[in-house]
Amino acid sequence: MPAAALKPKPLPTQSTARRAVRLDSPYVPLEKRPLPAGRPREWYQTHNRRLKAMRLAIALLDSGVYLPDQARDETIRDTAETIGVHPPSATTCHMVRAFMRYHR
């Protein structure tokens, strides 16, 4: 029998993280900070588009859509409605699929 098979698996209450993690604490979002001033308007639009695309990609992954080919525009827009964000444009939908493709 290989040595790895004899090694006990960690209990669900134990953490394998390198730093301490409280498993019983609820999720608390980080404090929002203002965006840096003085950038061109396009920078802010792209930044917000990336944030929205990442939120949608995470929501799709949580709902069981794992492949970019499964994430059609209609699926992404339905997910946006479910999580409470405005319907994304075709450009944002393309970015969502790009995120899913990159993080496979």
Side-chain angles (χ1 to χ4, degrees):
M1 191 175 240
L6 298 175
K7 188 176 182 181
K9 294 184 179 182
L11 297 174
T13 56
Q14 294 176 337
S15 175
T16 57
R18 292 186 178 160
R19 59 185 171 89
V21 176
R22 291 184 54 195
L23 297 176
D24 59 345
S25 65
Y27 170 74
V28 179
L30 294 173
E31 183 178 330
K32 291 187 177 183
R33 297 182 312 180
L35 293 174
R39 307 265 177 139
R41 181 174 176 80
E42 294 79 26
W43 184 90
Y44 298 104
Q45 290 171 342
T46 304
H47 174 78
N48 289 330
R49 187 184 306 270
R50 285 183 185 140
L51 290 178
K52 184 176 189 176
M54 185 58 74
R55 275 189 221 108
L56 287 167
I58 291 169
L60 285 166
L61 291 169
D62 287 344
S63 69
V65 178
Y66 299 113
L67 299 175
D69 299 335
Q70 296 173 327
R72 296 185 318 273
D73 287 358
E74 301 84 30
T75 308
I76 295 171
R77 290 188 177 115
D78 290 343
T79 304
E81 185 178 338
T82 303
I83 65 172
V85 298
H86 288 284
S89 65
T91 305
T92 305
C93 291
H94 181 78
M95 192 177 285
V96 168
R97 285 188 289 274
F99 275 133
M100 293 176 76
R101 196 171 292 116
Y102 181 75
H103 292 290
R104 273 188 3 175

